[in-house]
Amino acid sequence: MLYTVIKKNNYQDSINLMLLTNNISDMPGVSKVQVMMGTDANKDIFDEAGLLTEDAKQAKPNDMMIVLDSDDNHVLDKVLKAIDDFLSDLSVKGDEDGQESSSVSNWDDAMKTLPEANLALISVPGVYAADEIDNALDNGLNAFVFSDNVSLKDEVRLKTKAHEKGLMVMGPDCGTGIISNIPLAFTNVVRSGNIGLVGASGTGIQEVTTIIERLGGGVTHAIGTGGRDLSDSVGAITMKDAIRGLEHHDPTEVIGIISKPPAKEVRDDVLNLLHSISKPVVAIFLGEKPDHHENSVYLAHTLEETARMLVDLADHKEIKKNYYPAKPLAEVNSKLTGKKVIGLYSGGTLAYEAGMLVSEALNLGGIISEDGYVLKASGYEVLDLGDDIYTQGRPHPMIDPRIRVQKINEYVEKTDTGVILLDDVLGYGTDDHMADALAEAIKQAKAENSSVEFVATVVGTEADPQDYKMARQTLTDAGAIVCDSNAQAVRYALNLVGEDVVEPDKEIQHVSFKKQDVADSSENLLDLLYTKPRVVNVGVADFLDPVTKFGGTGVQYDWKPIAGGNQKLIKVIKRVKAMKNRDADNEKVLAGFKQSAPFLTNVVAAGTVIPELTGHTLLHAGSPITYAEMTAPMQGGCIGAVLFEGWANNEAEARQMLENDEVTFLCNHDVNAVGPMGGITSAHMAVLVIKNKLADNEAYCTMNEGIGKVLRFGAYSKEVLDRLDWMANVLAPTLNSALSKLPDGLNVNVMMAKAITMGDEFHQRNIAASLVFLKEVAPLIVSLDIDEKTKQDVIQFLADTDQFFLSIMMATGKATVDAARTYKHGTVVTTMTRNGKDFGIRISGLGDQWFTAPVNTPEGLFFTGFTQDDANPDMGDSAIAETVGFGGMAMIAAPGVTRFVGAGGFKDAQRISNQMSKITLDRNPSFSIPTWDFQGTAIGIDIVKVVETGITPVINTGIASKVAGVGQVGAGTVHAPLACFERALVAYADSMGLLEEDEEKELIQVL
Amino acid sequence: MSTNQVSSNGERSNLLSLCLSNQNIGQVASIFRHSFNVVFPNIYFHVGRVTDSLSCLGVTLPDQQVAEQIMKIQVGDKVRVLKEKMYIYTSQDVLCVPLNSLEEVNLMVPRGSFKIDGGTLKEVWQYADFEQNWGLINTKPDEVIQQIIGGNESIKKVVEYLFGRGKGLTPSGDDMLVGILTVLRAGKMAAWQMWSKAINMQLNHHQTTDVATAYLRAALNGYASKKLVDLIIALQCGDSVTIQRAVKALKDFGHTSGTDTLFGFYCGLKIIMLSE
């Protein structure tokens, strides 16, 4: 049964009422409900839905009509209460903190946000890392590269480039670093001090810095170089630059070098540099067992010895001959004699050190690198559980204890396992409860095999995010022996099984060397070392936390792969961006946008101004399309036009004519025209004429027919055709006569500048502009020497048609871009349009060439009885609005429109517009938006920015039924497909000679 | 890190060049609201605000810089002098005190005769109101003056009495001794020799605070903080307005330290006047 409630003089915005309808539609007992204002057009919609009751028919335009279909007579009260509740609070219930994020999504914005940046912290997937390092260097930033899987070739190229620019690339695969006491990536918190480190090993740096801290020393810089820096190919570029930098960093008095054994030539080169500097150095080439020191370069065997020597030098104390206790650290455990030591490490360098010490003690032949083992000999096994073999597809063992627990369980079951060595690495980036997980595993293992001993080391400081003392205590309580260093832990373990390490005394030997000129470091490098870093954090957001916590500044770059990660497109983007004239070209195109001077001069029959409209010719929206390819509503528009022109007597004849290809189709855009939705335009339909005085060009657009059943949405019933007839024969001449009273026509910019401050974005919302237009034109109409009824009808039609201005804006947009794109250069989007099948764009540099991709289907709010399934794919030339900076691009001007995409509020509108401004090049000060801090509209959609960011323009749009004749079923938004922008970019690059042979074909195939 | 935030606004005592060397290792020893001390092998180094008095044992820096440094430092932080700059290694930062860019101020006590009469001295006495303002609680200034100038006690005994007497980082008695020594040295009094000998002996055999020891040793070497030097100069010029201003500045320094030093000054002047 239908229940009707008319709320007299109770006006609500149509968007609110659509939201309301959606809100109450799902209430129990409601089979159908619709709430709308009582306009004639809305009554048509009610009628279509079978809800136009007699009471509803009586409603006035300012009355709210509520019609409910329900079998339960109690439901009405509940619905009315729900309506009252909804309307009493229309505010958006969003996240209060959902403010504009301070993060950025491209390098330009990053550098604008933090112009003083001096360091990029890069943690993007390896395949993209090289490009981001390049970008960092091009922006004058040093790079700390956490990412791995950068090719050796790229590493050499990038480090060479950095060196030439006076910058430094730390990494790739650099897990640890401290710059001016700011922990970067997986790093411990260490107090500042006069020790500076350069290390090619992450956990090596962690072990040394934390021992230094615990010995009372301090480290200001620990510069990671990445594991391959000391290879033949790279030649220690970063290490040498870092050493030179620390030499010139006055607060650093002592320098520590940590590396696995480098290539001989590189080792000699680095040592030569170390001999040439003025500061004492402690160097460990882990795996070598030095028996002497060389000049002021003190050579260490273990990480602990490295730390102890550094602290002595830092305190201006003499270096001792031996830093190892003469006696074993532990008594032999008779139960363990002859049993094996097993190392289960999360830290690679700690595993390496353990393997080295065990191998040396038992003469096991040295370190290996096989299947995660660094030692596997005579039953002695040391595993690096952070090796790729264990981390493919699962978290690193510093974050996830499971692999270690699994391995503990495996080894405990082996009868020859005597001692298991473990590390617990604290600091930023690692798990906060690793000690608990390991303790639990130790307890269970000991319950299973009580003779197995666990010897552990905790790499950390009191200032780490975790509790260092508690971690030690937890492991101790579980039955582990916790040593102060990894070296001690290994020796302790060896002692338990009856073995020991022997460390010889070391004396200083004076060696000759060729003194190098240790030239001044670059200003960039010294700035990095002498100041707190200003970081662009590209990738993992958590890495920025310690930066800001410890006194640095930073901006989060929410990185995502550009061009969808398409490496070939990325190369094209880089080449296009490197073009020198592109910016200037784009500026000239946009000058055309900004200097546009549109005037509404005439309203005439299309055929009188579009000479191509001869014979059986129709215009349509979008890029070229055949009748057969058109979706139903566009076909419906064609049928309506054929009938309107009198080429057929009925629908069947019209269909036949169209299906037989007896009608020629042209794109509106190819004949200086645009048309909303289907955009079907015939010779005798009236069009608005906009003259752009900038280039003296004209553009045309059919007039808005109102809502409900209209040709543009595919309706072609008699009332539709009658209205078109009236518009052509009454409305158009009247308006034309009125406009003829103005020598130059009506200045459109002035009307739009006013209306945008009144809440219009000119695509979904034109009510203010329509009223401003009516204000201008009504006195002219009244002054005409025509009958009063005509005046009355025309003014009433204009007053009833909220979207009348849409067509004026569309013709204005077309006149604007057509003037601007006479300068055929650059990458500015000059046309966006849709034909229901394809989204088509044109760009300034490629004239009339279309670049298309399948359209998306708009999403939004639907009239009662309709759902997303009823929506026709995106259609219409009205995206000319977004092309020139209105509509979705200017959502902020009309925040209410945002609600079409759900429960969006002001902040969502702001977010969308800010996002759109990321793909535009300029602002149009003629259209200042109060709610956007009076910034002008964002204009000049740049295909490079679109492809680079993956952000495509958002289009505000009406939604047509996919069934011809039904008309509009809702309104919402839709995004342009990325592919047409990608294709345009490839074509542009090709036209500029930027593609190699066959590259375009390959790219197009990929796209 | 503030290495490149070198400010030219600040001063350093000319005594530093004698006591502070490149490569010196020190550590933050004490931190106050507006200043801090760093102990080095040969100097108890003071960092104060430029709006406060320059210590003969230290430097002044812009107030904001001192405030920021005080926020970051902790007692025990290591300090190095490297290339004419002092680096303080705090938990999160390396702070820099740029010694070389500060304007050097001569804080050697100027020697010459004083132009002060009994009336002015009396005004000082009345203005200072020592009994109310000094640090020796429950002690009568008259009685202490009598000990110092009355001749009833030997200088050695007076020094023993005053040395380390009172609370604080610079005990009141030590401040008084600094005042006496400074005035006697400025006035080129023969008595200075006896006082300095007695104080030296006391320093060698007994302990007072590190800070007081440092200032006593500076006074023995003929150096005094800027407020004291200003007062000496004022007294040597004899302009009453300048004297009053300098007296007020000294009195206002610290909690009781300024008043205590002024008391020593007063006594020293009395000794000079009596000798005349």
Side-chain angles (χ1 to χ4, degrees):
Chain A
M1 181 177 172
L2 294 179
Y3 299 93
T4 306
V5 175
I6 305 296
K7 287 180 172 271
K8 288 276 183 190
N9 295 313
N10 194 333
Y11 178 80
Q12 284 294 338
D13 183 273
S14 62
I15 300 170
N16 284 332
L17 293 181
M18 290 170 83
L19 283 169
L20 169 59
T21 303
N22 280 4
N23 191 274
I24 57 179
S25 292
D26 294 335
M27 288 179 66
V30 174
S31 65
K32 207 187 277 184
V33 67
Q34 180 67 280
V35 186
M36 281 184 152
M37 301 308 295
T39 64
D40 289 344
N42 288 341
K43 287 175 188 171
D44 287 346
I45 292 169
F46 269 58
D47 199 15
E48 282 294 317
L51 295 173
L52 188 60
T53 60
E54 286 304 315
D55 287 344
K57 284 179 185 170
Q58 305 306 316
K60 299 284 187 289
N62 282 337
D63 300 340
M64 188 191 298
M65 308 183 292
I66 304 164
V67 179
L68 166 72
D69 184 5
S70 175
D71 296 333
D72 181 352
N73 59 3
H74 299 298
V75 167
L76 182 61
D77 289 343
K78 291 177 187 169
V79 167
L80 289 175
K81 178 162 190 321
I83 291 171
D84 287 342
D85 289 347
F86 184 92
L87 294 175
S88 67
D89 182 10
L90 293 166
S91 63
V92 173
K93 309 298 183 295
D95 179 4
E96 280 301 311
D97 297 327
Q99 296 173 3
E100 191 66 8
S101 161
S102 61
S103 62
V104 298
S105 57
N106 60 64
W107 275 103
D108 287 347
D109 288 348
M111 296 310 293
K112 273 183 206 157
T113 307
L114 195 64
E116 68 278 17
N118 66 347
L119 176 66
L121 207 170
I122 297 169
S123 53
V124 302
V127 66
Y128 307 108
D131 279 334
E132 298 309 335
I133 299 167
D134 247 332
N135 288 330
L137 297 175
D138 288 343
N139 280 292
L141 306 190
N142 298 283
F144 179 99
V145 187
F146 181 80
S147 312
D148 56 4
N149 290 322
V150 174
S151 74
L152 187 60
K153 185 180 163 196
D154 277 336
E155 181 173 345
V156 173
R157 177 179 66 80
L158 292 162
K159 285 188 168 177
T160 305
K161 176 176 174 176
H163 176 77
E164 286 166 358
K165 283 173 162 273
L167 297 165
M168 199 160 58
V169 173
M170 293 166 268
D173 199 11
C174 188
T176 301
I178 300 171
I179 298 293
S180 299
N181 285 103
I182 288 182
L184 301 173
F186 283 42
T187 302
N188 303 91
V189 181
V190 180
R191 64 179 295 112
S192 78
N194 58 343
I195 297 170
L197 295 178
V198 188
S201 124
T203 43
I205 289 178
Q206 290 189 275
E207 173 79 340
V208 172
T209 54
T210 54
I211 294 173
I212 288 171
E213 158 92 11
R214 298 200 301 266
L215 291 173
V219 177
T220 301
H221 303 297
I223 300 167
T225 64
R228 294 185 306 217
D229 191 64
L230 278 76
S231 66
D232 269 341
S233 312
V234 184
I237 295 172
T238 299
M239 179 167 277
K240 289 192 291 183
D241 279 344
I243 291 167
R244 288 191 197 97
L246 291 176
E247 165 74 355
H248 294 284
H249 179 247
D250 292 340
T252 295
E253 290 188 276
V254 188
I255 296 172
I257 303 295
I258 305 165
S259 169
K260 290 173 187 169
K264 183 177 183 313
E265 292 77 9
V266 178
R267 187 185 192 282
D268 291 348
D269 191 24
V270 169
L271 270 175
N272 200 270
L273 175 63
L274 294 175
H275 287 313
S276 301
I277 63 174
S278 67
K279 298 179 180 180
V281 177
V282 178
I284 178 168
F285 297 114
L286 203 60
E288 292 182 1
K289 191 164 186 179
D291 56 9
H292 67 282
H293 305 303
E294 295 181 359
N295 303 340
S296 60
V297 179
Y298 301 92
L299 299 168
H301 181 219
T302 63
L303 296 165
E304 181 190 352
E305 187 189 14
T306 308
R308 288 186 178 278
M309 286 202 285
L310 283 166
V311 170
D312 275 351
L313 289 171
D315 289 341
H316 297 195
K317 291 179 183 166
E318 289 285 318
I319 287 291
K320 300 180 184 75
K321 288 181 180 175
N322 201 314
Y323 280 85
Y324 300 90
K327 291 181 181 174
L329 300 178
E331 300 275 324
V332 179
N333 182 334
S334 56
K335 290 181 190 168
L336 299 175
T337 308
K339 295 205 172 186
K340 311 300 180 190
V341 173
I342 304 298
L344 301 176
Y345 282 90
S346 62
T349 306
L350 299 176
Y352 196 93
E353 183 181 52
M356 172 192 80
L357 290 170
V358 173
S359 176
E360 286 172 358
L362 292 136
N363 200 17
L364 296 177
I367 297 299
I368 60 168
S369 178
E370 286 174 22
D371 298 335
Y373 290 95
V374 293
L375 180 74
K376 190 178 185 187
S378 305
Y380 290 86
E381 296 181 359
V382 178
L383 282 88
D384 171 11
L385 297 172
D387 188 276
D388 288 349
I389 196 169
Y390 296 110
T391 53
Q392 292 284 355
R394 63 174 128 184
H396 193 280
M398 283 188 200
I399 298 168
D400 184 342
R402 283 178 294 178
I403 184 66
R404 233 147 26 133
V405 173
Q406 180 192 323
K407 289 290 174 190
I408 288 170
N409 293 337
E410 285 175 21
Y411 278 98
V412 160
E413 285 181 7
K414 294 185 179 178
T415 53
D416 62 346
T417 299
V419 185
I420 294 178
L421 283 161
L422 297 171
D423 62 346
D424 178 10
V425 181
L426 310 184
Y428 278 96
T430 60
D431 184 64
D432 286 350
H433 306 289
M434 184 61 70
D436 296 329
L438 293 178
E440 192 56 36
I442 291 167
K443 281 184 205 163
Q444 287 186 12
K446 278 187 157 290
E448 184 136 331
N449 182 353
S450 62
S451 66
V452 172
E453 290 290 351
F454 287 84
V455 182
T457 182
V458 179
V459 179
T461 71
E462 302 272 347
D464 278 333
Q466 303 87 355
D467 188 331
Y468 173 72
K469 281 185 181 162
M470 182 64 81
R472 287 188 65 136
Q473 193 59 50
T474 301
L475 292 170
T476 305
D477 291 347
I481 297 137
V482 181
C483 295
D484 289 341
S485 74
N486 185 48
Q488 285 184 31
V490 178
R491 190 176 180 192
Y492 199 106
L494 287 167
N495 293 162
L496 288 175
V497 298
E499 304 291 345
D500 200 7
V501 295
V502 179
E503 297 286 352
D505 287 355
K506 290 190 285 246
E507 301 283 351
I508 298 171
Q509 289 183 10
H510 292 282
V511 297
S512 60
F513 64 97
K514 190 177 174 187
K515 191 168 176 64
Q516 290 184 24
D517 177 24
V518 186
D520 278 351
S521 271
S522 70
E523 281 189 26
N524 286 326
L525 190 49
L526 291 178
D527 175 64
L528 183 72
L529 299 179
Y530 270 111
T531 62
K532 286 282 186 190
R534 286 87 63 192
V535 175
V536 176
N537 187 40
V538 191
V540 180
D542 286 350
F543 285 172
L544 195 56
D545 295 343
V547 171
T548 49
K549 183 176 178 186
F550 288 87
T553 50
V555 58
Q556 174 60 28
Y557 176 173
D558 287 335
W559 183 92
K560 62 178 182 178
I562 61 172
N566 183 326
Q567 292 296 314
K568 288 176 179 166
L569 266 184
I570 291 169
K571 283 181 188 163
V572 174
I573 289 171
K574 287 173 83 169
R575 288 178 214 158
V576 172
K577 286 180 84 171
M579 288 174 59
K580 285 183 182 163
N581 294 332
R582 190 175 66 97
D583 288 347
D585 286 338
N586 287 340
E587 278 176 25
K588 283 185 186 168
V589 175
L590 292 177
F593 278 47
K594 289 190 277 189
Q595 292 165 13
S596 175
F599 285 77
L600 175 61
T601 56
N602 298 92
V603 186
V604 295
T608 64
V609 286
I610 303 172
E612 291 84 351
L613 277 175
T614 55
H616 292 171
T617 300
L618 292 180
L619 308 179
H620 64 79
S623 52
I625 189 170
T626 64
Y627 177 76
E629 293 171 319
M630 291 176 183
T631 54
M634 189 180 270
Q635 287 183 333
C638 294
I639 294 166
V642 169
L643 294 173
F644 172 75
E645 291 292 336
W647 300 337
N649 293 316
N650 53 48
E651 180 186 339
E653 279 180 27
R655 278 191 189 279
Q656 192 174 18
M657 195 175 174
L658 290 160
E659 285 164 3
N660 291 342
D661 293 336
E662 292 170 29
V663 174
T664 304
F665 285 102
L666 293 172
C667 301
N668 282 311
H669 269 288
D670 285 340
V671 294
N672 307 327
V674 280
M677 298 310 290
I680 302 301
T681 307
S682 63
H684 293 90
M685 289 181 191
V687 290
L688 299 155
V689 179
I690 295 287
K691 183 165 194 168
N692 183 355
K693 292 191 174 179
L694 176 65
D696 219 21
N697 62 310
E698 287 185 350
Y700 319 107
C701 184
T702 51
M703 286 186 287
N704 193 281
E705 309 154 73
I707 61 169
K709 287 192 174 178
V710 288
L711 186 85
R712 68 179 190 278
F713 282 100
Y716 48 84
S717 60
K718 183 173 182 303
E719 71 174 286
V720 174
L721 301 181
D722 287 349
R723 189 188 303 118
L724 287 174
D725 190 61
W726 178 82
M727 289 170 73
N729 296 310
V730 179
L731 178 60
T734 306
L735 286 176
N736 198 50
S737 299
L739 291 169
S740 69
K741 289 180 171 283
L742 302 171
D744 292 326
L746 204 49
N747 188 327
V748 182
N749 276 354
V750 172
M751 289 189 286
M752 292 180 75
K754 287 177 186 170
I756 203 165
T757 67
M758 296 160 74
D760 280 357
E761 42 69 74
F762 305 121
H763 196 165
Q764 199 69 268
R765 183 183 165 90
N766 277 287
I767 188 165
S770 297
L771 288 173
V772 170
F773 171 70
L774 182 59
K775 180 174 86 74
E776 298 293 332
V777 83
L780 301 173
I781 295 169
V782 170
S783 72
L784 293 176
D785 186 16
I786 55 174
D787 68 84
E788 287 302 312
K789 184 170 185 313
T790 299
K791 294 179 188 174
Q792 175 68 31
D793 289 350
V794 166
I795 290 174
Q796 189 63 52
F797 180 84
L798 295 176
D800 288 346
T801 309
D802 292 352
Q803 284 285 68
F804 190 84
F805 195 84
L806 173 63
S807 294
I808 299 175
M809 181 282 301
M810 286 177 60
T812 297
K814 175 63 175 166
T816 297
V817 297
D818 278 354
R821 69 197 193 97
T822 54
Y823 185 76
K824 291 188 171 63
H825 303 277
T827 52
V828 176
V829 173
T830 54
T831 302
M832 291 195 294
T833 184
R834 316 87 92 198
N835 60 21
K837 174 176 168 282
D838 289 323
F839 195 105
I841 67 166
R842 285 169 165 167
I843 65 166
S844 53
L846 293 174
D848 288 344
Q849 194 174 345
W850 288 108
F851 303 97
T852 63
V855 287
N856 297 315
T857 299
E859 294 178 357
L861 296 175
F862 290 86
F863 303 144
T864 293
F866 299 104
T867 67
Q868 186 69 45
D869 291 341
D870 296 301
N872 195 66
D874 193 20
M875 189 170 67
D877 288 329
S878 57
I880 194 73
E882 282 76 9
T883 311
V884 292
F886 303 122
M889 306 298 289
M891 194 84 88
I892 184 73
V897 171
T898 321
R899 306 195 79 172
F900 277 118
V901 289
F906 178 76
K907 284 173 184 166
D908 294 284
Q910 190 178 37
R911 180 179 53 75
I912 291 168
S913 284
N914 285 344
Q915 191 184 40
M916 289 300 108
S917 67
K918 292 181 194 302
I919 56 171
T920 53
L921 293 162
D922 205 349
R923 299 272 180 177
N924 191 344
S926 299
F927 305 112
S928 166
I929 302 174
T931 45
W932 214 3
D933 292 333
F934 293 94
Q935 293 181 100
T937 47
I939 57 164
I941 296 167
D942 179 19
I943 53 168
V944 177
K945 288 191 171 199
V946 171
V947 177
E948 189 175 33
T949 61
I951 299 169
T952 58
V954 64
I955 315 290
N956 291 345
T957 184
I959 304 175
S961 165
K962 61 186 179 187
V963 177
V966 174
Q968 185 173 6
V969 294
T973 62
V974 62
H975 273 277
L978 184 62
C980 50
F981 297 89
E982 292 173 333
R983 289 180 179 132
L985 180 65
V986 171
Y988 176 77
D990 192 37
S991 74
M992 292 288 118
L994 300 175
L995 299 187
E996 291 159 13
E997 201 175 342
D998 294 333
E999 200 173 15
E1000 188 198 6
K1001 280 183 192 165
E1002 286 176 28
L1003 281 160
I1004 293 298
Q1005 277 172 3
V1006 173
L1007 296 176
Chain B
M1 206 176 308
S2 50
T3 309
N4 57 356
Q5 297 165 11
V6 176
S7 167
S8 59
N9 299 324
E11 295 175 334
R12 72 170 192 268
S13 163
N14 63 331
L15 178 58
L16 298 188
S17 55
L18 301 174
C19 307
L20 205 57
S21 310
N22 201 22
Q23 302 281 321
N24 270 178
I25 298 177
Q27 66 176 29
V28 175
S30 48
I31 304 168
F32 310 103
R33 254 180 82 194
H34 300 308
S35 67
F36 60 95
N37 287 309
V38 178
V39 61
F40 285 107
N42 296 321
I43 188 169
Y44 205 87
F45 186 86
H46 182 263
V47 178
R49 304 190 303 177
V50 78
T51 51
D52 292 332
S53 176
L54 173 65
S55 160
C56 60
L57 299 174
V59 296
T60 56
L61 298 172
D63 293 13
Q64 182 65 27
Q65 191 177 343
V66 175
E68 286 170 6
Q69 294 188 344
I70 285 172
M71 291 280 287
K72 292 179 177 176
I73 59 173
Q74 291 178 309
V75 170
D77 281 349
K78 292 186 176 178
V79 184
R80 296 281 189 279
V81 177
L82 298 161
K83 296 187 179 176
E84 309 286 323
K85 290 175 182 166
M86 188 175 82
Y87 292 103
I88 307 167
Y89 300 91
T90 75
S91 61
Q92 292 187 13
D93 228 338
V94 181
L95 307 176
C96 179
V97 177
L99 305 174
N100 54 347
S101 63
L102 303 175
E103 188 180 337
E104 185 168 278
V105 178
N106 183 3
L107 293 180
M108 176 73 88
V109 175
R111 307 187 76 173
S113 56
F114 295 117
K115 295 175 183 170
I116 182 166
D117 54 32
T120 307
L121 204 56
K122 194 174 177 184
E123 283 174 18
V124 170
W125 175 265
Q126 286 170 346
Y127 170 74
D129 192 3
F130 292 113
E131 187 166 355
Q132 290 300 314
N133 296 315
W134 73 353
L136 294 181
I137 301 163
N138 300 326
T139 311
K140 296 285 182 193
D142 286 336
E143 293 170 7
V144 178
I145 286 175
Q146 280 310 308
Q147 284 188 52
I148 293 171
I149 65 173
N152 297 331
E153 299 280 355
S154 70
I155 289 174
K156 183 168 173 288
K157 283 199 170 179
V158 173
V159 169
E160 283 172 3
Y161 172 77
L162 290 177
F163 189 80
R165 180 165 296 272
K167 294 176 184 173
L169 279 164
T170 54
S172 298
D174 295 328
D175 284 331
M176 292 170 190
L177 290 174
V178 166
I180 294 168
L181 267 181
T182 303
V183 171
L184 294 182
R185 181 181 173 89
K188 295 190 276 188
M189 295 298 295
W192 180 82
Q193 295 285 358
M194 289 177 281
W195 281 91
S196 62
K197 188 179 172 188
I199 291 170
N200 233 329
M201 192 177 293
Q202 196 69 14
L203 282 169
N204 290 338
H205 294 94
H206 300 279
Q207 280 201 332
T208 180
T209 66
D210 291 343
V211 181
T213 300
Y215 283 98
L216 280 168
R217 289 202 185 283
L220 289 170
N221 286 317
Y223 288 87
S225 293
K226 198 175 179 188
K227 279 191 168 56
L228 274 73
V229 173
D230 287 346
L231 181 53
I232 294 285
I233 292 168
L235 292 168
Q236 288 167 345
C237 289
D239 176 55
S240 60
V241 174
T242 313
I243 291 171
Q244 282 170 17
R245 195 180 299 140
V247 165
K248 182 177 186 314
L250 177 57
K251 180 177 173 291
D252 290 348
F253 181 73
H255 181 51
T256 65
S257 198
T259 307
D260 296 334
T261 310
L262 187 59
F263 181 79
F265 246 77
Y266 180 86
C267 295
L269 289 169
K270 276 280 191 188
I271 291 169
I272 292 171
M273 290 179 81
L274 285 172
S275 74
E276 288 169 351

